[in-house]
mmCIF file of all heavy atoms in Angstrom:
data_model
loop_
_atom_site.group_PDB
_atom_site.id
_atom_site.type_symbol
_atom_site.label_atom_id
_atom_site.label_comp_id
_atom_site.label_asym_id
_atom_site.label_seq_id
_atom_site.Cartn_x
_atom_site.Cartn_y
_atom_site.Cartn_z
ATOM 1 N N LEU M 1 1.481 -7.382 12.802
ATOM 2 C CA LEU M 1 1.142 -7.118 14.206
ATOM 3 C C LEU M 1 -0.355 -7.235 14.476
ATOM 4 O O LEU M 1 -0.760 -7.517 15.604
ATOM 5 C CB LEU M 1 1.639 -5.732 14.615
ATOM 6 C CG LEU M 1 3.108 -5.632 15.016
ATOM 7 C CD1 LEU M 1 3.483 -4.190 15.296
ATOM 8 C CD2 LEU M 1 3.416 -6.500 16.234
ATOM 9 N N MET M 2 -1.165 -7.050 13.450
ATOM 10 C CA MET M 2 -2.607 -7.143 13.631
ATOM 11 C C MET M 2 -3.155 -8.546 13.367
ATOM 12 O O MET M 2 -4.368 -8.767 13.409
ATOM 13 C CB MET M 2 -3.320 -6.139 12.718
ATOM 14 C CG MET M 2 -3.002 -4.671 13.015
ATOM 15 S SD MET M 2 -3.538 -4.103 14.672
ATOM 16 C CE MET M 2 -2.041 -4.297 15.646
ATOM 17 N N GLY M 3 -2.276 -9.515 13.128
ATOM 18 C CA GLY M 3 -2.708 -10.879 12.878
ATOM 19 C C GLY M 3 -3.288 -11.551 14.112
ATOM 20 O O GLY M 3 -3.016 -11.158 15.249
ATOM 21 N N ASP M 4 -4.062 -12.602 13.897
ATOM 22 C CA ASP M 4 -4.793 -13.259 14.983
ATOM 23 C C ASP M 4 -3.981 -14.305 15.735
ATOM 24 O O ASP M 4 -4.463 -14.902 16.690
ATOM 25 C CB ASP M 4 -6.070 -13.906 14.437
ATOM 26 C CG ASP M 4 -7.099 -12.863 14.011
ATOM 27 O OD1 ASP M 4 -7.082 -11.751 14.570
ATOM 28 O OD2 ASP M 4 -7.915 -13.167 13.116
ATOM 29 N N SER M 5 -2.751 -14.570 15.293
ATOM 30 C CA SER M 5 -1.839 -15.436 16.040
ATOM 31 C C SER M 5 -0.415 -15.007 15.721
ATOM 32 O O SER M 5 -0.196 -14.194 14.812
ATOM 33 C CB SER M 5 -2.047 -16.911 15.676
ATOM 34 O OG SER M 5 -1.547 -17.187 14.374
ATOM 35 N N ILE M 6 0.569 -15.527 16.444
ATOM 36 C CA ILE M 6 1.954 -15.093 16.284
ATOM 37 C C ILE M 6 2.429 -15.231 14.840
ATOM 38 O O ILE M 6 3.099 -14.364 14.302
ATOM 39 C CB ILE M 6 2.885 -15.874 17.233
ATOM 40 C CG1 ILE M 6 2.747 -15.347 18.660
ATOM 41 C CG2 ILE M 6 4.341 -15.781 16.797
ATOM 42 C CD1 ILE M 6 3.307 -13.944 18.866
ATOM 43 N N GLY M 7 2.075 -16.310 14.175
ATOM 44 C CA GLY M 7 2.552 -16.550 12.820
ATOM 45 C C GLY M 7 1.595 -16.144 11.723
ATOM 46 O O GLY M 7 1.797 -16.506 10.562
ATOM 47 N N GLU M 8 0.572 -15.367 12.065
ATOM 48 C CA GLU M 8 -0.422 -14.953 11.070
ATOM 49 C C GLU M 8 -0.427 -13.437 10.895
ATOM 50 O O GLU M 8 -0.054 -12.699 11.805
ATOM 51 C CB GLU M 8 -1.831 -15.377 11.504
ATOM 52 C CG GLU M 8 -2.112 -16.854 11.402
ATOM 53 C CD GLU M 8 -3.570 -17.148 11.750
ATOM 54 O OE1 GLU M 8 -3.951 -16.948 12.922
ATOM 55 O OE2 GLU M 8 -4.310 -17.556 10.844
ATOM 56 N N SER M 9 -0.884 -13.012 9.739
ATOM 57 C CA SER M 9 -1.112 -11.591 9.475
ATOM 58 C C SER M 9 -2.596 -11.343 9.258
ATOM 59 O O SER M 9 -3.330 -12.249 8.842
ATOM 60 C CB SER M 9 -0.362 -11.151 8.212
ATOM 61 O OG SER M 9 1.027 -11.175 8.404
ATOM 62 N N ALA M 10 -3.019 -10.119 9.528
ATOM 63 C CA ALA M 10 -4.325 -9.680 9.046
ATOM 64 C C ALA M 10 -4.205 -9.462 7.540
ATOM 65 O O ALA M 10 -3.104 -9.324 7.005
ATOM 66 C CB ALA M 10 -4.734 -8.386 9.737
ATOM 67 N N PHE M 11 -5.333 -9.417 6.838
ATOM 68 C CA PHE M 11 -5.320 -9.236 5.392
ATOM 69 C C PHE M 11 -6.201 -8.056 5.004
ATOM 70 O O PHE M 11 -7.154 -7.726 5.711
ATOM 71 C CB PHE M 11 -5.786 -10.510 4.691
ATOM 72 C CG PHE M 11 -4.700 -11.528 4.542
ATOM 73 C CD1 PHE M 11 -4.298 -12.295 5.633
ATOM 74 C CD2 PHE M 11 -4.047 -11.701 3.335
ATOM 75 C CE1 PHE M 11 -3.262 -13.217 5.517
ATOM 76 C CE2 PHE M 11 -3.018 -12.618 3.194
ATOM 77 C CZ PHE M 11 -2.626 -13.380 4.283
ATOM 78 N N PRO M 12 -5.892 -7.412 3.887
ATOM 79 C CA PRO M 12 -6.724 -6.289 3.462
ATOM 80 C C PRO M 12 -8.094 -6.750 2.982
ATOM 81 O O PRO M 12 -8.191 -7.754 2.260
ATOM 82 C CB PRO M 12 -5.918 -5.682 2.301
ATOM 83 C CG PRO M 12 -5.129 -6.828 1.754
ATOM 84 C CD PRO M 12 -4.797 -7.680 2.945
ATOM 85 N N SER M 13 -9.135 -6.058 3.383
ATOM 86 C CA SER M 13 -10.481 -6.332 2.861
ATOM 87 C C SER M 13 -10.979 -5.167 2.007
ATOM 88 O O SER M 13 -11.734 -5.369 1.059
ATOM 89 C CB SER M 13 -11.467 -6.605 3.996
ATOM 90 O OG SER M 13 -11.627 -5.467 4.820
ATOM 91 N N LYS M 14 -10.533 -3.951 2.337
ATOM 92 C CA LYS M 14 -10.861 -2.770 1.535
ATOM 93 C C LYS M 14 -9.624 -1.878 1.470
ATOM 94 O O LYS M 14 -8.903 -1.732 2.465
ATOM 95 C CB LYS M 14 -12.034 -1.993 2.143
ATOM 96 C CG LYS M 14 -13.356 -2.749 2.153
ATOM 97 C CD LYS M 14 -14.474 -1.908 2.731
ATOM 98 C CE LYS M 14 -15.786 -2.693 2.829
ATOM 99 N NZ LYS M 14 -16.271 -3.117 1.494
ATOM 100 N N ILE M 15 -9.392 -1.275 0.306
ATOM 101 C CA ILE M 15 -8.239 -0.393 0.115
ATOM 102 C C ILE M 15 -8.676 0.855 -0.650
ATOM 103 O O ILE M 15 -9.405 0.770 -1.638
ATOM 104 C CB ILE M 15 -7.111 -1.083 -0.684
ATOM 105 C CG1 ILE M 15 -6.652 -2.377 -0.001
ATOM 106 C CG2 ILE M 15 -5.926 -0.133 -0.867
ATOM 107 C CD1 ILE M 15 -5.636 -3.167 -0.821
ATOM 108 N N LYS M 16 -8.188 1.995 -0.185
ATOM 109 C CA LYS M 16 -8.321 3.261 -0.925
ATOM 110 C C LYS M 16 -6.914 3.845 -0.980
ATOM 111 O O LYS M 16 -6.366 4.232 0.051
ATOM 112 C CB LYS M 16 -9.292 4.209 -0.229
ATOM 113 C CG LYS M 16 -9.506 5.541 -0.964
ATOM 114 C CD LYS M 16 -10.517 6.395 -0.210
ATOM 115 C CE LYS M 16 -10.650 7.797 -0.797
ATOM 116 N NZ LYS M 16 -11.175 7.805 -2.170
ATOM 117 N N ALA M 17 -6.312 3.869 -2.161
ATOM 118 C CA ALA M 17 -4.902 4.225 -2.261
ATOM 119 C C ALA M 17 -4.653 5.306 -3.302
ATOM 120 O O ALA M 17 -5.467 5.537 -4.211
ATOM 121 C CB ALA M 17 -4.080 2.983 -2.591
ATOM 122 N N GLU M 18 -3.496 5.949 -3.155
ATOM 123 C CA GLU M 18 -3.023 6.940 -4.113
ATOM 124 C C GLU M 18 -1.562 6.631 -4.419
ATOM 125 O O GLU M 18 -0.766 6.404 -3.509
ATOM 126 C CB GLU M 18 -3.163 8.359 -3.531
ATOM 127 C CG GLU M 18 -4.592 8.714 -3.175
ATOM 128 C CD GLU M 18 -4.740 10.056 -2.470
ATOM 129 O OE1 GLU M 18 -3.781 10.872 -2.529
ATOM 130 O OE2 GLU M 18 -5.799 10.294 -1.854
ATOM 131 N N MET M 19 -1.214 6.599 -5.725
ATOM 132 C CA MET M 19 0.136 6.271 -6.159
ATOM 133 C C MET M 19 0.653 7.391 -7.047
ATOM 134 O O MET M 19 -0.013 7.789 -8.008
ATOM 135 C CB MET M 19 0.129 4.946 -6.931
ATOM 136 C CG MET M 19 -0.379 3.770 -6.097
ATOM 137 S SD MET M 19 -1.471 2.686 -7.045
ATOM 138 C CE MET M 19 -0.340 2.041 -8.262
ATOM 139 N N TYR M 20 1.848 7.903 -6.718
ATOM 140 C CA TYR M 20 2.401 9.045 -7.437
ATOM 141 C C TYR M 20 3.840 8.757 -7.882
ATOM 142 O O TYR M 20 4.545 7.940 -7.293
ATOM 143 C CB TYR M 20 2.388 10.286 -6.546
ATOM 144 C CG TYR M 20 1.015 10.688 -6.059
ATOM 145 C CD1 TYR M 20 0.552 10.281 -4.814
ATOM 146 C CD2 TYR M 20 0.179 11.470 -6.852
ATOM 147 C CE1 TYR M 20 -0.712 10.647 -4.368
ATOM 148 C CE2 TYR M 20 -1.080 11.852 -6.411
ATOM 149 C CZ TYR M 20 -1.523 11.422 -5.162
ATOM 150 O OH TYR M 20 -2.779 11.784 -4.723
ATOM 151 N N ARG M 21 4.265 9.506 -8.906
ATOM 152 C CA ARG M 21 5.619 9.337 -9.437
ATOM 153 C C ARG M 21 6.242 10.716 -9.664
ATOM 154 O O ARG M 21 5.684 11.566 -10.365
ATOM 155 C CB ARG M 21 5.549 8.567 -10.757
ATOM 156 C CG ARG M 21 6.888 8.399 -11.472
ATOM 157 C CD ARG M 21 6.755 7.507 -12.686
ATOM 158 N NE ARG M 21 5.662 7.945 -13.539
ATOM 159 C CZ ARG M 21 4.785 7.124 -14.133
ATOM 160 N NH1 ARG M 21 4.852 5.819 -13.946
ATOM 161 N NH2 ARG M 21 3.829 7.608 -14.908
ATOM 162 N N ALA M 22 7.424 10.911 -9.070
ATOM 163 C CA ALA M 22 8.204 12.127 -9.304
ATOM 164 C C ALA M 22 9.430 11.827 -10.155
ATOM 165 O O ALA M 22 9.810 12.618 -11.015
ATOM 166 C CB ALA M 22 8.634 12.737 -7.975
ATOM 167 N N ASN M 23 10.046 10.664 -9.906
ATOM 168 C CA ASN M 23 11.250 10.273 -10.631
ATOM 169 C C ASN M 23 10.915 9.696 -12.005
ATOM 170 O O ASN M 23 9.775 9.318 -12.278
ATOM 171 C CB ASN M 23 12.031 9.241 -9.814
ATOM 172 C CG ASN M 23 12.724 9.859 -8.622
ATOM 173 O OD1 ASN M 23 13.851 10.329 -8.729
ATOM 174 N ND2 ASN M 23 12.039 9.877 -7.482
ATOM 175 N N GLU M 24 11.916 9.633 -12.858
ATOM 176 C CA GLU M 24 11.733 9.116 -14.209
ATOM 177 C C GLU M 24 11.847 7.590 -14.196
ATOM 178 O O GLU M 24 12.855 7.003 -14.621
ATOM 179 C CB GLU M 24 12.749 9.757 -15.155
ATOM 180 C CG GLU M 24 12.529 11.256 -15.310
ATOM 181 C CD GLU M 24 13.596 11.921 -16.156
ATOM 182 O OE1 GLU M 24 14.461 11.209 -16.703
ATOM 183 O OE2 GLU M 24 13.573 13.157 -16.266
ATOM 184 N N ILE M 25 10.813 6.956 -13.683
ATOM 185 C CA ILE M 25 10.761 5.503 -13.538
ATOM 186 C C ILE M 25 9.403 5.013 -14.050
ATOM 187 O O ILE M 25 8.509 5.805 -14.316
ATOM 188 C CB ILE M 25 10.956 5.064 -12.065
ATOM 189 C CG1 ILE M 25 9.921 5.743 -11.152
ATOM 190 C CG2 ILE M 25 12.380 5.375 -11.606
ATOM 191 C CD1 ILE M 25 9.959 5.295 -9.711
ATOM 192 N N GLU M 26 9.264 3.698 -14.168
ATOM 193 C CA GLU M 26 7.983 3.144 -14.628
ATOM 194 C C GLU M 26 6.943 3.143 -13.516
ATOM 195 O O GLU M 26 5.782 3.462 -13.738
ATOM 196 C CB GLU M 26 8.189 1.706 -15.118
ATOM 197 C CG GLU M 26 8.848 1.587 -16.460
ATOM 198 C CD GLU M 26 8.940 0.155 -16.937
ATOM 199 O OE1 GLU M 26 8.444 -0.761 -16.243
ATOM 200 O OE2 GLU M 26 9.513 -0.051 -18.010
ATOM 201 N N ASN M 27 7.363 2.742 -12.322
ATOM 202 C CA ASN M 27 6.407 2.553 -11.238
ATOM 203 C C ASN M 27 6.370 3.789 -10.340
ATOM 204 O O ASN M 27 6.951 4.820 -10.660
ATOM 205 C CB ASN M 27 6.748 1.282 -10.450
ATOM 206 C CG ASN M 27 5.525 0.507 -10.024
ATOM 207 O OD1 ASN M 27 4.398 0.861 -10.344
ATOM 208 N ND2 ASN M 27 5.722 -0.574 -9.297
ATOM 209 N N TYR M 28 5.719 3.710 -9.219
ATOM 210 C CA TYR M 28 5.526 4.861 -8.347
ATOM 211 C C TYR M 28 6.605 4.942 -7.268
ATOM 212 O O TYR M 28 7.153 3.936 -6.827
ATOM 213 C CB TYR M 28 4.135 4.817 -7.708
ATOM 214 C CG TYR M 28 3.781 3.508 -7.033
ATOM 215 C CD1 TYR M 28 4.055 3.308 -5.684
ATOM 216 C CD2 TYR M 28 3.185 2.468 -7.738
ATOM 217 C CE1 TYR M 28 3.740 2.107 -5.061
ATOM 218 C CE2 TYR M 28 2.862 1.272 -7.130
ATOM 219 C CZ TYR M 28 3.147 1.090 -5.793
ATOM 220 O OH TYR M 28 2.843 -0.099 -5.175
ATOM 221 N N ASP M 29 6.911 6.163 -6.834
ATOM 222 C CA ASP M 29 7.874 6.378 -5.752
ATOM 223 C C ASP M 29 7.215 6.962 -4.506
ATOM 224 O O ASP M 29 7.884 7.245 -3.517
ATOM 225 C CB ASP M 29 9.032 7.270 -6.211
ATOM 226 C CG ASP M 29 8.573 8.575 -6.865
ATOM 227 O OD1 ASP M 29 7.546 9.128 -6.428
ATOM 228 O OD2 ASP M 29 9.233 9.025 -7.817
ATOM 229 N N THR M 30 5.892 7.143 -4.568
ATOM 230 C CA THR M 30 5.127 7.702 -3.445
ATOM 231 C C THR M 30 3.820 6.936 -3.341
ATOM 232 O O THR M 30 3.124 6.764 -4.346
ATOM 233 C CB THR M 30 4.866 9.200 -3.672
ATOM 234 O OG1 THR M 30 6.128 9.877 -3.795
ATOM 235 C CG2 THR M 30 4.067 9.808 -2.537
ATOM 236 N N PHE M 31 3.500 6.483 -2.131
ATOM 237 C CA PHE M 31 2.340 5.607 -1.948
ATOM 238 C C PHE M 31 1.624 5.970 -0.654
ATOM 239 O O PHE M 31 2.244 6.083 0.403
ATOM 240 C CB PHE M 31 2.802 4.152 -1.891
ATOM 241 C CG PHE M 31 1.706 3.144 -1.682
ATOM 242 C CD1 PHE M 31 0.881 2.757 -2.732
ATOM 243 C CD2 PHE M 31 1.497 2.562 -0.435
ATOM 244 C CE1 PHE M 31 -0.128 1.820 -2.545
ATOM 245 C CE2 PHE M 31 0.492 1.622 -0.236
ATOM 246 C CZ PHE M 31 -0.317 1.259 -1.303
ATOM 247 N N MET M 32 0.307 6.148 -0.754
ATOM 248 C CA MET M 32 -0.520 6.409 0.422
ATOM 249 C C MET M 32 -1.747 5.518 0.352
ATOM 250 O O MET M 32 -2.350 5.375 -0.714
ATOM 251 C CB MET M 32 -0.989 7.866 0.467
ATOM 252 C CG MET M 32 0.136 8.877 0.620
ATOM 253 S SD MET M 32 0.738 9.449 -0.959
ATOM 254 C CE MET M 32 1.504 10.981 -0.478
ATOM 255 N N ALA M 33 -2.132 4.929 1.477
ATOM 256 C CA ALA M 33 -3.282 4.033 1.447
ATOM 257 C C ALA M 33 -3.999 3.990 2.789
ATOM 258 O O ALA M 33 -3.368 3.994 3.849
ATOM 259 C CB ALA M 33 -2.844 2.619 1.065
ATOM 260 N N LYS M 34 -5.317 3.947 2.701
ATOM 261 C CA LYS M 34 -6.166 3.588 3.833
ATOM 262 C C LYS M 34 -6.657 2.168 3.587
ATOM 263 O O LYS M 34 -7.174 1.865 2.504
ATOM 264 C CB LYS M 34 -7.360 4.542 3.948
ATOM 265 C CG LYS M 34 -7.027 5.872 4.586
ATOM 266 C CD LYS M 34 -8.302 6.690 4.803
ATOM 267 C CE LYS M 34 -8.023 7.914 5.652
ATOM 268 N NZ LYS M 34 -9.270 8.700 5.885
ATOM 269 N N ILE M 35 -6.491 1.315 4.573
ATOM 270 C CA ILE M 35 -6.821 -0.099 4.421
ATOM 271 C C ILE M 35 -7.673 -0.550 5.592
ATOM 272 O O ILE M 35 -7.363 -0.237 6.753
ATOM 273 C CB ILE M 35 -5.532 -0.953 4.362
ATOM 274 C CG1 ILE M 35 -4.628 -0.488 3.206
ATOM 275 C CG2 ILE M 35 -5.863 -2.440 4.229
ATOM 276 C CD1 ILE M 35 -3.213 -1.034 3.265
#
């Protein structure tokens, strides 16, 4: 929705994120990010 034309997207230039895991899995099940 933030892209500069109908068929385009904006892209991340800076990210500050937090990734957490509660379940018994390899990857994360909770994700928070400022972009």
Side-chain angles (χ1 to χ4, degrees):
L1 278 176
M2 297 297 96
D4 290 333
S5 72
I6 284 291
E8 287 185 294
S9 292
F11 278 76
S13 64
K14 295 182 184 297
I15 303 174
K16 181 178 173 64
E18 300 174 17
M19 300 138 66
Y20 301 96
R21 176 174 51 222
N23 287 272
E24 295 175 5
I25 56 175
E26 285 184 3
N27 219 3
Y28 51 91
D29 52 35
T30 301
F31 179 78
M32 296 92 159
K34 281 186 170 181
I35 302 166

